[in-house]
Amino acid sequence: MKTAKEYIASLPQERREAMLTLLNCLRENLPAGFEEGISYGMITFSVPLSTYPKGYHATPGQPLPFLSLASQKGHIALYHLGIYMNPPLLEWLKAEYPRHSATRLDMGKSCIRFKKPDQIPLTLIAQLAKKMTVEEFVEIYEGVINRK
């Protein structure tokens, strides 16, 4: 798959609408400068190499991934490297989630899992998408990488 359209078309019918709605929410709310594509088998918004030529340290020569969206076996996953690298943003998400959803926040280090596609808190996801610019993400990323 080379495009988000192809990715969504490949999904079971019951996932397509929720994935497309979530994707459009991200498209409408992410700050300018992130580039949409397919990376690591997921729809990914990255910092393009033209903006950050160093790229992703784990995969040299590849754009720096910021946020990915995937349909997994038992859930829809939103991977947000900003919440992984920025503890205040993670704390904000944890505090806000109960105000937007009757379900429990289910997440890993950078992954938010949505088991019921009809219960994705789109208003909260829109707010989260707006919270970090390309420049802010690169600055946080550089800080994390340079500590190692």
Side-chain angles (χ1 to χ4, degrees):
M1 288 171 279
K2 295 183 181 181
T3 67
K5 185 176 182 177
E6 290 172 351
Y7 183 95
I8 289 176
S10 74
L11 299 176
Q13 185 63 40
E14 63 272 9
R15 285 278 177 93
R16 288 182 195 160
E17 184 178 341
M19 286 286 291
L20 186 57
T21 300
L22 189 50
L23 176 60
N24 285 332
C25 176
L26 296 172
R27 286 172 170 163
E28 292 167 11
N29 291 286
L30 280 170
F34 291 106
E35 188 174 80
E36 180 181 318
I38 299 293
S39 190
Y40 304 100
M42 301 178 279
I43 300 169
T44 301
F45 292 90
S46 301
V47 179
L49 291 170
S50 59
T51 301
Y52 186 67
K54 292 180 185 178
Y56 187 37
H57 76 282
T59 312
Q62 293 296 313
L64 175 61
F66 172 64
L67 190 147
S68 296
L69 181 60
S71 179
Q72 305 292 9
K73 185 176 181 178
H75 60 276
I76 291 173
L78 178 68
Y79 299 89
H80 191 301
L81 282 167
I83 60 175
Y84 175 67
M85 296 180 193
N86 185 339
L89 184 58
L90 174 59
E91 291 309 312
W92 172 85
L93 176 64
K94 288 178 178 178
E96 284 296 314
Y97 198 89
R99 297 182 179 123
H100 295 268
S101 179
T103 63
R104 175 183 71 79
L105 177 60
D106 181 5
M107 67 181 296
K109 286 184 179 183
S110 70
C111 169
I112 306 167
R113 293 179 281 268
F114 303 108
K115 291 185 178 157
K116 297 182 179 181
D118 60 330
Q119 294 182 355
I120 297 172
L122 291 171
T123 302
L124 178 64
I125 299 306
Q127 291 173 10
L128 176 62
K130 292 176 184 179
K131 290 224 173 254
M132 193 173 290
T133 65
V134 167
E135 295 79 16
E136 290 167 334
F137 178 58
V138 168
E139 184 178 328
I140 289 168
Y141 178 76
E142 283 275 321
V144 169
I145 294 306
N146 289 333
R147 275 187 287 191
K148 293 183 176 182

